[in-house]
Structures are given as structure tokens and as C-alpha cells.
Amino acid sequence: MREQIIGRELAHVLRTGPFSAALHLAIEASGLRMEEIQTRLADQGIMVSQTTLAYWRRGRSRPERPASLRAVGALEGILGLPADALTAQLGPRRPRGRWLDHPPGTMEMAEVWSDSKGLAELLAAINTPVHNILHRVSMHDLFVIGPDRGAVTLATRAVVRATADKVSRSVFVYHNDEGEGGLPTVHPVRNCRIGRSRTDPGGEFLVAELIFDRVLGTGDTAAIEYELRFGPGALSDHYHRAFPAEAGDYLLQVQFDPEALPARCFRYSRRRENAPDQGVREVWVGAAHGAHLVDRDIAPGLVGLRWEWD
């Protein structure tokens, strides 16, 4: 089972990056020890220290010199990967200093929402650019609608995997795109606590840090749960989850009050919040008054459900 999970995550990361995560999972899948990898490289006349390999694996440095790039090509063969599988993750040589460019398969967080300027300012105020170094293995949202057709709670369970060392937190963004009821409050439920939070003057965006109960190293996972609680008047006819980076599995459940059942319900996806709906399909509201969608290998963008009351 573990081998299947690693193989699945490796296939995903080879499409999306970053290099460190791809190398780490490839080594895990191969079952080779670091000293064995170093020896096989040496057999090809390529001298790389175990420390250097560990740094590449943890994202503390990356290969850039010609000799290092030759080592990466050799690693592809040693680890049983297709040609250029790791090399393609490196891209152009990065500038010196802090690397803020987002890797393949991701978007800047503010790009996903329609009012990117206001959100970008809130994200800059918190200054925790972690979405590029956390792979969302799975997400589960439970959105509860009350008898007045208003949002009551949004309960979220998330499993994330770090693709670099010393990852201690994630960032949550909520957009009140309907402009009613104000912004919700966010509450930790399990394995996390709330750090800094910011809202914009217009009351459209809430940005909050979710601090894990431990610091993650490369390949480590965190399973966190948190809840949004809405005030009166938060009328809603849809909910979507925004994914700035590719993700694994996503389950969205919408639970309706028996006194507020919709006439019809649809699933949809969008590249950005203000983009046209794609993949629209009607979803059944069951006898237990709920609807849901399940998706896998999520592309950057939004996935959600919307409903019609009449």
C-alpha cells in the first residue's frame, strides 16, 4: 500500500514539481539508500557527496553547475525514471537570493480570485508564501446551509505534504464574493492553531495562517482540521474551493437544511473566479438532503457546487 501511495504521488510530482519533491519521492520509490546512490554515481565517474544529495532532496539547494546537471541525468537512470524527468523540473537557472517564482503546475494565490490586487496586499502583509511548498494530498469540505438559505459552517479537513524543510504553516483564503453577511470567523479544530489573520476594508477577503502542531521536513505530512462560522445574513447559492496549485483528491459536501432544499444543484470548475464555468453537470440532492462532488488530480483553479432555489 505504501509503495502504491508513493508511486502515485511521484507520478503527480513529476508533472508539477518541484525538483526536491520529485527527487525525494523517486528515492523513496527506488528503495535505495543514499550511500548506494552515491556509489552508483561514482561508478559512472560522477562524484557527488551524500550531503549534496541530501540538500537537493530537501530543497536547501539545487543542481545548477554542468557537473551537477550531469549527475541529475545519471540519477534519472539510477532511480528508474524516464529521461529528463528530473531535469525538466529545474527550468532556467534561478537568481541568487530568495526564490519566489512559483514552480510548474501552480498559480500565484492572488491570480485565482477576481480581485487580485486586494488579496495580494493581504498576502503580502502576512508574507507566508507557502502554497508552493505544500502539496495538498487530499481536501474535504463540508458546507452547511441553514433553514434561511444562509451559510452556517464550513468544516475543512486537509492532508498536506511538505516539499521542503522547516514548513510550519499554511495559509487559508476565504472570499465573500456575494457581499452579504460579512466575513466568517475561523476556528482551529485539530492539529493546528490560528496565527496571523487579515481582512480587507471592503470585507471581501479573509486571509489567515494555519500553524501546524509540528514543523514539517521534506516528505512529512500534516492532517489538519478547521472550521469557518458564518453570521446571520450570509445567503449563499454556491461554494467553490480555490486551488492555486495542483492537488490530489477533493471531496465537497453541501448539507442543506430540510426546510431549505434547492430545486437543482450543479458541479462546475473554473480556471479563475471570474472565468466561465466549465464541466457543468447536474448533481443529485439525496434523501439525506445533501449533495457532493469528488474529484482527483485537481488542476489550478476552482471546483465547486452551485444550486438554484426556485
Side-chain angles (χ1 to χ4, degrees), residues 186-210:
V186 57
H187 304 267
V189 175
R190 190 167 287 109
N191 302 329
C192 65
R193 60 184 174 88
I194 306 303
R196 296 170 295 175
S197 63
R198 299 288 187 275
T199 59
D200 65 315
E204 291 189 38
F205 284 104
L206 164 66
V207 177
E209 288 181 314
L210 300 170

Side-chain angles (χ1 to χ4, degrees), residues 11-80:
H12 175 82
V13 171
L14 287 176
R15 297 195 305 270
T16 66
F19 170 82
S20 59
L23 178 60
H24 169 74
L25 290 173
I27 291 173
E28 290 288 298
S30 73
L32 295 173
R33 300 190 306 272
M34 295 292 279
E35 55 266 30
E36 292 177 311
I37 295 172
Q38 183 190 33
T39 298
R40 295 192 185 190
L41 286 171
D43 290 343
Q44 300 182 41
I46 301 172
M47 308 307 296
V48 179
S49 70
Q50 290 186 42
T51 299
T52 296
L53 290 172
Y55 279 10
W56 292 351
R57 185 179 184 178
R58 296 172 183 169
R60 294 184 61 180
S61 66
R62 71 173 194 168
E64 294 184 337
R65 297 179 180 179
S68 297
L69 296 177
R70 182 177 169 228
V72 173
L75 283 170
E76 292 165 348
I78 292 170
L79 300 175

Side-chain angles (χ1 to χ4, degrees), residues 206-221:
L206 164 66
V207 177
E209 288 181 314
L210 300 170
I211 302 177
F212 306 144
D213 61 355
R214 64 189 181 96
V215 178
L216 307 181
T218 301
D220 289 344
T221 56

Side-chain angles (χ1 to χ4, degrees), residues 160-178:
V160 296
R161 181 183 297 277
T163 62
D165 278 344
K166 299 181 179 180
V167 180
S168 62
R169 65 201 65 207
S170 181
V171 172
F172 172 79
V173 176
Y174 178 79
H175 185 200
N176 178 20
D177 58 341
E178 294 182 296

Side-chain angles (χ1 to χ4, degrees), residues 207-280:
V207 177
E209 288 181 314
L210 300 170
I211 302 177
F212 306 144
D213 61 355
R214 64 189 181 96
V215 178
L216 307 181
T218 301
D220 289 344
T221 56
I224 62 173
E225 298 181 35
Y226 59 94
E227 183 177 83
L228 299 187
R229 299 170 189 170
F230 297 85
L235 300 181
S236 182
D237 62 3
H238 72 280
Y239 173 76
H240 49 232
R241 163 71 64 173
F243 293 92
E246 294 185 348
D249 298 333
Y250 180 52
L251 167 63
L252 168 59
Q253 294 176 279
V254 179
Q255 187 66 47
F256 298 97
D257 187 276
E259 301 300 320
L261 295 178
R264 302 179 72 186
C265 186
F266 302 88
R267 64 165 294 162
Y268 63 94
S269 61
R270 298 175 190 166
R271 177 62 175 171
R272 291 179 173 80
E273 190 175 52
N274 57 357
D277 288 351
Q278 298 178 337
V280 178

